[in-house]
Amino acid sequence: MDGIVGVLGLIVLLVVVYLFASIKIVRQGYQYTIEHFGRFTSVARPGFNFYPAFFYRVGRRVNMMEQVIDIPGQEIITRDNAMVSTDGVVFFQVLDPAKAAYEVSDMFVALQQITTTNLRTVMGSMDLDETLSKRDEINARLLSVVDHATNPWGVKITRVEIKDIRPPADIVNAMGRQMKAEREKRANILEAEGSRASEILRAEGQKQARILEAEGRRESAFRDAEARERAAEAEAKATALVSDAIEQGSAQAINYFVAQKYVEAIGKFATSPNAKTVLFPVEATQLIGTLGGIGELAREALGREPAPKPPSPPTRPGVPQVREG
């Protein structure tokens, strides 16, 4: 009886062990391939899965999350025979675990190699300047080529990024000199353009100044001519009045002209820069008499009675007398 109980206990233990061996717990983010006597049959999804032990086994544990692999540094010759060093990274995600497990032997090595070869192809078809300035274009071309090549493996290439591009030291120095020369060229051009604009503005200013100056001279000449014209009209009017007075028999009109010339002559003596002392060879009374004659002429022109004639001053010995007549 004890032997039967022991056998039954052993059978129960074996059944429990078999059941536990048949249970497959798949973590989130992973999928397992299930093989039946070595042949792929199905894919175990995340969670609880039951496959009879000894008849079914887990083939590959495939990571379904997005992953990244590093592309080691490569020496690449560009189209213009320049040697550059570059490296990058590739982001990918497995979409079909069966293909990723059975279509390629080592997926990571395969992705690394196919990315490296296509990186050489893409950058080798470009000039050095293009490789340094068109990283986005290189990334896009690599993404398209590598994604198309890995599609049979059930892998989706999400991103390809070039981390660094390192030209040789001599090319870097040459590029630095070229950049410096280009900046100096731009600075010289800007300086020349500034000088040109300054000269143009200065010339425009001088032109406007000459135009304004010429307009000022023209206005001044016009004003001077107008003043001379009015002075000539006044002189002509005064001459006409004096002529009329002479025709009417007035002797004071002649005295007006004489007194006017007399006063002008004395004024010239007074304003002469070479004369410090002015000697008049005439009597001051003659000038007073002449001015008196002018006053009488003015009173006659206004229709008033002539003023009484002042007494003649006493004569000095040796001075000739001037008589009216």
Side-chain angles (χ1 to χ4, degrees):
M1 193 66 183
D2 293 335
I4 296 174
V5 174
V7 172
L8 290 177
L10 181 59
I11 293 173
V12 172
L13 180 61
L14 292 176
V15 170
V16 172
V17 172
Y18 181 79
L19 291 176
F20 273 101
S22 300
I23 295 174
K24 303 294 187 292
I25 303 298
V26 181
R27 293 184 300 168
Q28 184 66 37
Y30 287 84
Q31 292 185 11
Y32 297 169
T33 60
I34 305 300
E35 299 176 355
H36 179 63
F37 295 111
R39 183 174 62 88
F40 169 75
T41 58
S42 63
V43 175
R45 307 295 177 179
F48 178 83
N49 295 269
F50 182 82
Y51 294 95
F54 305 111
F55 300 98
Y56 296 90
R57 61 180 295 270
V58 175
R60 302 287 178 87
R61 292 173 172 83
V62 181
N63 188 346
M64 304 298 293
M65 295 179 289
E66 187 172 3
Q67 304 175 68
V68 58
I69 58 174
D70 191 30
I71 305 301
Q74 303 291 321
E75 298 290 338
I76 300 175
I77 300 177
T78 61
R79 186 171 58 185
D80 52 353
N81 297 324
M83 182 72 71
V84 294
S85 300
T86 183
D87 54 7
V89 291
V90 177
F91 296 84
F92 69 95
Q93 186 176 13
V94 177
L95 300 181
D96 191 337
K99 291 183 178 180
Y102 301 107
E103 295 293 336
V104 60
S105 176
D106 192 334
M107 184 177 60
F108 287 92
V109 176
L111 285 175
Q112 190 178 76
Q113 294 300 321
I114 196 170
T115 304
T116 301
T117 55
N118 283 280
L119 179 62
R120 291 177 179 272
T121 302
V122 172
M123 295 188 64
S125 63
M126 304 174 69
D127 295 335
L128 177 61
D129 294 338
E130 292 178 341
T131 59
L132 297 176
S133 61
K134 296 182 179 180
R135 292 196 180 189
D136 292 339
E137 181 178 344
I138 296 173
N139 295 336
R141 291 175 61 180
L142 275 175
L143 176 62
S144 177
V145 174
V146 177
D147 183 56
H148 180 73
T150 58
N151 187 47
W153 303 342
V155 176
K156 174 65 178 177
I157 305 299
T158 56
R159 298 192 67 178
V160 177
E161 295 289 341
I162 300 298
K163 291 197 299 184
D164 193 14
I165 299 177
R166 298 176 297 275
D170 55 346
I171 295 180
V172 173
N173 294 333
M175 292 173 62
R177 292 194 300 270
Q178 180 183 2
M179 181 182 65
K180 181 179 179 181
E182 184 67 23
R183 292 184 181 275
E184 290 179 352
K185 173 185 174 182
R186 292 180 183 178
N188 293 332
I189 291 175
L190 291 176
E191 184 178 358
E193 289 179 353
S195 300
R196 176 173 173 269
S198 176
E199 293 296 333
I200 291 175
L201 292 176
R202 187 180 295 109
E204 288 289 338
Q206 293 176 357
K207 175 183 175 182
Q208 292 295 330
R210 287 194 295 268
I211 291 174
L212 293 176
E213 184 179 358
E215 291 180 353
R217 289 197 301 269
R218 184 182 67 176
E219 184 68 20
S220 177
F222 176 77
R223 298 293 183 184
D224 292 342
E226 185 177 3
R228 288 194 299 272
E229 181 180 357
R230 291 184 179 180
E233 290 178 357
E235 185 70 20
K237 186 175 182 181
T239 303
L241 291 175
V242 173
S243 299
D244 293 341
I246 293 174
E247 289 180 357
Q248 294 174 5
S250 175
Q252 297 298 330
I254 299 175
N255 291 336
Y256 167 76
F257 281 108
V258 174
Q260 182 181 13
K261 299 299 181 181
Y262 193 77
V263 171
E264 292 178 356
I266 292 176
K268 290 181 179 180
F269 275 114
T271 58
S272 175
N274 297 324
K276 302 301 181 180
T277 303
V278 180
L279 299 177
F280 295 98
V282 295
E283 294 293 338
T285 56
Q286 295 180 0
L287 177 60
I288 296 174
T290 302
L291 296 176
I294 296 174
E296 293 179 1
L297 179 62
R299 282 192 291 270
E300 289 180 1
L302 296 175
R304 298 179 181 178
E305 294 294 330
K309 185 176 182 181
S312 58
T315 60
R316 295 180 182 182
V319 177
Q321 299 294 318
V322 180
R323 297 181 179 180
E324 299 180 357

